[in-house]
Amino acid sequence: MSGEAKLIIQDLCHHYPDEYTGESVHALEGINLQVYENEFVAIVGPSGCGKTTLLNIVAGLLPYREGRAMVDGNEIHGPGPDRGVVFQEHAILPWRSVARNIGHGLELQRVPKEETRRRVQEYIDLVGLSGFEDRYPHELSGGMKQRVAVARTLCADPVIMLMDEPFAAVDAQTRITLQDELNRIVMATRKTILFITHSVEEAAFLGDRCIVFSRRPGQIKTEIKIDIPREERVWKDMADNPKFTEARDKILRLVRQEVTSDDEH
Amino acid sequence: MTAITEFSVAIQKRVGRKRLLKAWKFLMGTVPFLFIIGMWELNTHFGWFPPIEIPPLSDVWGAIFFLQTDCPGFVAAMQQHNECNLTNNIMSSVGRVILAGFVGIPLGIAFGILAGMNRTISGYLEPIGIFMNSVSGIAWIPLAIVWFGVGWETTLFIMLNTIFWLIFFNTMMGVRAVPKVLVQGVQTMGGSYFDTIKHVFLPGAMPSIITGMRMSLGFGWRALIAAEMIGGDSGLGFMIFVSAVEFKTEEVFLGVILISLIYLISDRYLLVPLEKWTIERWGLVWKPT
Ligand SMILES: Nc1ncnc2c1ncn2[C@@H]1O[C@H](COP(=O)(O)OP(=O)(O)OP(=O)(O)O)[C@@H](O)[C@H]1O
Ligand SMILES: [Mg+2]
């Protein structure tokens, strides 16, 4: 990947203190990772390996002590609008209409009303929610709520977008649609994205690069480049795309190894 | 089809089933009231209880005019002219409820939000909140009389004391129930501490705050009436008490009916619309269909 590194993580470790036993949980160990401009990096790994921990540290929601983490050259201290997060659960606000949820980031950044309105409309169209501007989240399906969440994050125009299993809570059919859509959105916006998933297929389908994590304490095991042009990434063509199936099988093997070595303990 | 079912279907088509069901529900609610009024009229007719214990309905109606006999008119009543007995007492009670609400509700919400967000603050305030809530509002009346004497200060204190702690507690609980991820979402979009209060904690606690308002209106109104009886010098509670001492039972009945009516109206036309505009619109409450 050309371009400059938007996210730089150096020798990052993390321990959670355990209030009850007094021991600590070793969640991350020696993470070194760079995400370049316009790059889509997918992280896969067994459950409990520390993926969310890493994302929360980058988001600034979890303080860290060992190692460094920088976005756009600035050391991370607390959350900020340069890092947009799409959470797994629906994090959009029930008391705001679709349009007001999507424009929330701009409102918080005191962007003038007229510009906010224009950009909100742009992203509503992008995620295909035209006509739902004035609806409230409880009137939407799960898939639509996640579209709002994605649009909300994009609309605030962060340097990097962080996504933690954003499509895990929707049904399989909707998930495929949302993945296709995300792909289209990535093409249109050229956003830099760090994407966490437990689905190997999802990682292979969406990522320019896929990082495989080891079991806890999470370490980077391997990284795999997935050299499929964005335009070719459409689910209906994936079954006979050798590059996709190859990458997917490779990632699957690596993840399996981690899970089975777990059994041997 | 018989004529009756034909008629019924015709009406349902014209008026709409939903409206009819609503009207039916309303009618069901009036049945117990009609029963009581019927028994009341029968009592008047047969004289089971003497008028000094249960006065005729017409006397209660007449009491309205008797109490307002020397009132020069509507404008004078609004200006709380000395002779406008009934309206003065109504305005006195309602005014105190409004005043106590305007002071107690925002204060309760403010402290409740702080305590809900901050463990240290709630550590200080929660125990005393439980203590204050357990000592019911009216138990403070004797002490309030010692402190403030008989008059509006005592009644206002009783109201405020009741309202504040109820709102405080409900708000605190509501804030604690707000999902963390909503707060994090606003923080990651660059929201400040104040933004999280305004955009997340306050609306998120709304269902609980409205419950608190419901309880405040109920308990506060009752506490006010009690406080007016013992430690007040005006208001509907005061009026009931004085009338009972003078054996003007019809005025007592009138006062009780007015108290219930005012409560009913403020619930219907203040809290219900507030609910509709906030938590129902946001889908935060279960809506009966
Ligand atoms: N707040 C916490 N306090 C203590 N331990 C924690 C905390 N959060 C996570 N952990 C532990 O840290 C490890 C990594 O958790 P994390 O949530 O990052 O895993 P994950 O890779 O996101 O898993 P999943 O795929 O199931 O979401 C887990 O073993 C978990 O038990
Ligand atoms: Mg996770």
Side-chain angles (χ1 to χ4, degrees):
Chain A
M1 262 287 158
S2 56
E4 54 176 316
K6 284 293 168 185
L7 172 68
I8 299 174
I9 294 170
Q10 282 171 357
D11 303 320
L12 185 75
C13 303
H14 193 78
H15 300 260
Y16 284 106
D18 190 320
E19 287 168 26
Y20 301 102
T21 60
E23 293 166 19
S24 64
V25 178
H26 193 174
L28 290 174
E29 176 56 44
I31 304 291
N32 282 289
L33 174 68
Q34 267 125 26
V35 179
Y36 295 96
E37 194 166 11
N38 305 335
E39 195 184 19
F40 193 122
V41 172
I43 294 181
V44 279
S47 184
C49 71
K51 303 183 295 292
T52 298
T53 305
L54 177 66
L55 186 124
N56 281 341
I57 288 175
V58 176
L61 297 170
L62 185 65
Y64 60 100
R65 262 184 264 128
E66 303 158 66
R68 305 181 72 188
M70 282 173 291
V71 165
D72 231 4
N74 304 313
E75 201 90 31
I76 292 170
H77 292 293
D82 51 341
R83 288 146 288 144
V85 186
V86 180
F87 296 89
Q88 178 178 339
E89 321 96 291
H90 305 305
I92 56 174
L93 299 174
W95 39 88
R96 285 185 164 244
S97 64
V98 168
R100 301 238 307 139
N101 258 300
I102 294 176
H104 200 181
L106 299 181
E107 187 186 323
L108 292 170
Q109 290 163 40
R110 312 270 184 283
V111 173
K113 281 235 164 64
E114 193 44 46
E115 194 192 335
T116 302
R117 222 185 44 76
R118 190 177 54 70
R119 269 168 69 181
V120 165
Q121 197 54 52
E122 187 184 317
Y123 284 99
I124 282 178
D125 295 341
L126 184 70
V127 298
L129 282 172
S130 312
F132 290 92
E133 289 85 349
D134 298 325
R135 297 296 185 86
Y136 282 83
H138 72 102
E139 301 171 295
L140 307 180
S141 69
M144 287 159 96
K145 280 184 204 160
Q146 273 323 56
R147 284 190 186 98
V148 175
V150 170
R152 173 176 92 159
T153 307
L154 282 170
C155 192
D157 196 24
V159 172
I160 184 169
M161 182 148 125
L162 313 169
M163 305 177 85
D164 189 1
E165 306 196 20
F167 307 143
V170 297
D171 63 274
Q173 214 49 49
T174 311
R175 193 174 309 137
I176 286 176
T177 318
L178 289 173
Q179 287 163 354
D180 269 333
E181 270 176 30
L182 181 61
N183 207 9
R184 185 172 52 72
I185 289 167
V186 170
M187 260 193 290
T189 60
R190 301 183 46 76
K191 268 285 153 218
T192 308
I193 298 175
L194 182 64
F195 189 99
I196 283 170
T197 176
H198 60 256
S199 157
V200 171
E201 298 228 314
E202 191 169 65
F205 178 68
L206 289 169
D208 294 314
R209 201 144 53 93
C210 176
I211 311 276
V212 182
F213 262 48
S214 71
R215 294 179 297 121
R216 192 167 62 88
Q219 281 169 297
I220 293 179
K221 194 177 151 102
T222 339
E223 71 169 65
I224 293 155
K225 276 205 182 313
I226 303 157
D227 241 340
I228 310 171
R230 286 268 155 216
E231 306 80 55
E232 287 174 25
R233 300 190 189 214
V234 185
W235 266 121
K236 65 177 170 52
D237 302 335
M238 278 297 124
D240 29 61
N241 186 324
K243 278 188 195 158
F244 169 74
T245 44
E246 191 195 324
R248 180 195 61 193
D249 295 345
K250 199 166 161 194
I251 300 166
L252 191 60
R253 259 198 313 281
L254 290 161
V255 174
R256 284 253 123 230
Q257 270 174 18
E258 283 308 310
V259 180
T260 34
S261 68
D262 199 32
D263 297 338
E264 284 161 14
H265 274 259
Chain B
M1 238 194 294
T2 68
I4 291 179
T5 49
E6 240 170 72
F7 180 67
S8 143
V9 168
I11 287 208
Q12 284 190 19
K13 270 190 189 144
R14 259 192 86 84
V15 189
R17 234 186 118 67
K18 237 184 178 158
R19 294 237 302 272
L20 275 179
L21 276 173
K22 227 171 156 182
W24 176 239
K25 227 180 117 190
F26 176 78
L27 282 179
M28 289 192 325
T30 58
V31 168
F33 289 104
L34 292 176
F35 177 76
I36 290 174
I37 291 173
M39 291 303 284
W40 194 352
E41 278 298 301
L42 286 177
N43 177 64
T44 308
H45 194 257
F46 292 108
W48 296 321
F49 293 92
I52 191 82
E53 286 171 20
I54 300 181
L57 198 50
S58 55
D59 279 13
V60 175
W61 180 250
I64 298 177
F65 304 98
F66 177 74
L67 284 165
Q68 293 286 87
T69 323
D70 297 323
C71 186
F74 180 75
V75 180
M78 287 300 119
Q79 289 165 346
Q80 300 193 296
H81 190 278
N82 261 343
E83 302 296 331
C84 305
N85 242 310
L86 183 62
T87 45
N88 281 354
N89 282 324
I90 292 175
M91 282 196 273
S92 162
S93 289
V94 173
R96 266 174 218 152
V97 174
I98 292 172
L99 182 60
F102 264 95
V103 178
I105 292 173
L107 264 182
I109 290 177
F111 278 90
I113 283 183
L114 288 177
M117 289 172 70
N118 187 313
R119 289 273 152 197
T120 318
I121 295 178
S122 74
Y124 283 116
L125 291 183
E126 206 175 335
I128 191 163
I130 295 171
F131 178 82
M132 293 302 235
N133 262 342
S134 69
V135 185
S136 74
I138 43 177
W140 285 87
I141 295 174
L143 197 56
I145 294 176
V146 173
W147 287 344
F148 306 110
V150 168
W152 65 270
E153 294 97 331
T154 292
T155 46
L156 196 63
F157 170 80
I158 295 299
M159 282 287 282
L160 271 179
N161 191 38
T162 310
I163 291 180
F164 174 81
W165 294 108
L166 280 171
I167 298 279
F168 167 75
F169 241 85
N170 278 285
T171 309
M172 184 176 75
M173 295 303 173
V175 166
R176 286 196 184 150
V178 170
K180 207 172 154 193
V181 69
L182 298 184
V183 184
Q184 294 182 331
V186 169
Q187 285 174 336
T188 56
M189 289 188 296
S192 63
Y193 188 77
F194 183 71
D195 288 326
T196 59
I197 294 179
K198 191 172 143 207
H199 296 303
V200 187
F201 287 116
L202 189 57
M206 210 56 185
S208 221
I209 292 175
I210 289 180
T211 306
M213 288 188 184
R214 270 250 154 79
M215 291 167 74
S216 296
L217 190 64
F219 287 106
W221 191 229
R222 274 172 251 182
L224 175 75
I225 300 302
E228 284 173 348
M229 284 184 182
I230 311 173
D233 55 6
S234 66
L236 285 170
F238 174 74
M239 184 187 97
I240 294 175
F241 197 75
V242 172
S243 301
V245 170
E246 294 172 1
F247 289 104
K248 294 179 188 156
T249 326
E250 66 284 353
E251 287 178 14
V252 177
F253 270 71
L254 177 67
V256 170
I257 292 170
L258 282 176
I259 286 165
S260 321
L261 273 181
I262 293 170
Y263 175 77
L264 207 73
I265 289 168
S266 46
D267 187 77
R268 279 298 108 185
Y269 296 99
L270 256 121
L271 287 175
V272 172
L274 183 64
E275 248 172 28
K276 272 227 170 73
W277 267 100
T278 55
I279 56 182
E280 263 185 44
R281 194 161 55 119
W282 305 335
L284 297 182
V285 282
W286 172 79
K287 226 186 304 181
T289 43

